[in-house]
Amino acid sequence: MTEMKMNGARRAFFMRGGAVLGAGIATTAAAATLLPDSAPLVADRTQQLQRELATHQDREAIRELHLAFARAIETGAYETAVELFEPHATLDLSGSGAVGTSAIMRLFAIQYRQQLAAVMHSAYRHSPLQQQDSVAIGADGVHASGTFHCEVELSSPLPTDSTLAQMARLQGQVAERRWEAGRFDARYVRIEGRWKLAALRYSTV
């Protein structure tokens, strides 16, 4: 997913922000040793910086989760894609839906791998609308929500009884492909310290 890796600049921003926050925590702690009377204020500031650092790290982890999902779909590594979901998750991709990881695996193994779905996602690339992407971490630190924009290559199997389809198949083309602008709306849950997809829905922009 070469073009979607343009998100690397955004990931770098979060990582640089985390480094700055980390430096801020160290500086604040050092100040406390110089000014004993300010210790309570320094402690509050340190806790605030630690929370901000944790939030940045969570957002980065969630962005990496989406990149992992996109790579898995593009390469046909559907078992890997399913591992990114929590057991009772819901998935809706351009009319193909499933509830629970067992059903999601069947969707990918049958509808996608055997090219039986009317419309399938086959690739993703950068979208100008990515500046509108957002991730919100819940106050409990366990739940989150996010919106990610991208352009999606949609693949539709060619009909077998069409002359044009038969000619296309002779040339190695087995599906009709087109790109469209869309977005993913998602919910997440942290399980054993790792973020998982609890719901993922794609819609056309």
Side-chain angles (χ1 to χ4, degrees):
M1 184 180 53
T2 302
E3 296 190 38
M4 283 199 68
K5 288 184 180 176
M6 294 176 67
N7 281 338
R10 296 189 175 199
R11 295 200 299 276
F13 166 77
F14 283 118
M15 287 186 283
R16 286 197 296 271
V20 171
L21 287 169
I25 292 173
T27 302
T28 302
T33 64
L34 298 175
L35 301 171
D37 292 341
S38 65
L41 293 177
V42 170
D44 289 342
R45 178 56 177 162
T46 299
Q47 290 179 355
Q48 179 184 353
L49 288 171
Q50 289 173 334
R51 288 193 296 270
E52 291 176 1
L53 175 58
T55 297
H56 281 295
Q57 292 172 334
D58 285 335
R59 287 175 176 168
E60 170 63 11
I62 286 173
R63 290 183 185 278
E64 290 291 345
L65 180 64
H66 276 274
L67 288 173
F69 174 81
R71 286 193 295 266
I73 297 302
E74 287 190 328
T75 60
Y78 300 128
E79 292 81 4
T80 299
V82 174
E83 292 175 357
L84 304 175
F85 292 83
E86 64 96 359
H88 305 290
T90 62
L91 174 66
D92 185 353
L93 296 180
S94 300
S96 296
V99 178
T101 51
S102 295
I104 293 173
M105 187 65 252
R106 287 195 298 272
L107 185 155
F108 286 137
I110 299 175
Q111 298 298 315
Y112 267 56
R113 186 161 282 153
Q114 299 182 26
Q115 296 191 358
L116 298 178
V119 179
M120 297 175 290
H121 289 200
S122 54
Y124 303 95
R125 68 186 183 190
H126 172 79
S127 166
L129 296 177
Q130 282 179 306
Q131 61 184 344
Q132 301 176 21
D133 290 356
S134 64
V135 176
I137 309 298
D140 60 3
V142 177
H143 298 86
S145 61
T147 297
F148 292 87
H149 294 79
C150 63
E151 291 188 356
V152 179
E153 183 184 50
L154 300 178
S155 175
S156 299
L158 294 171
T160 58
D161 57 350
S162 167
T163 301
L164 291 178
Q166 293 175 0
M167 294 175 61
R169 288 179 184 278
L170 290 175
Q171 299 176 2
Q173 181 179 349
V174 297
E176 178 185 359
R177 301 177 185 273
R178 62 184 176 86
W179 288 91
E180 74 172 20
R183 77 179 192 189
F184 284 103
D185 292 295
R187 290 187 291 104
Y188 318 89
V189 61
R190 190 201 300 270
I191 299 177
E192 298 181 351
R194 297 184 60 184
W195 287 102
K196 296 278 189 176
L197 286 159
L200 184 64
R201 180 174 63 86
Y202 170 81
S203 58
T204 303
V205 174

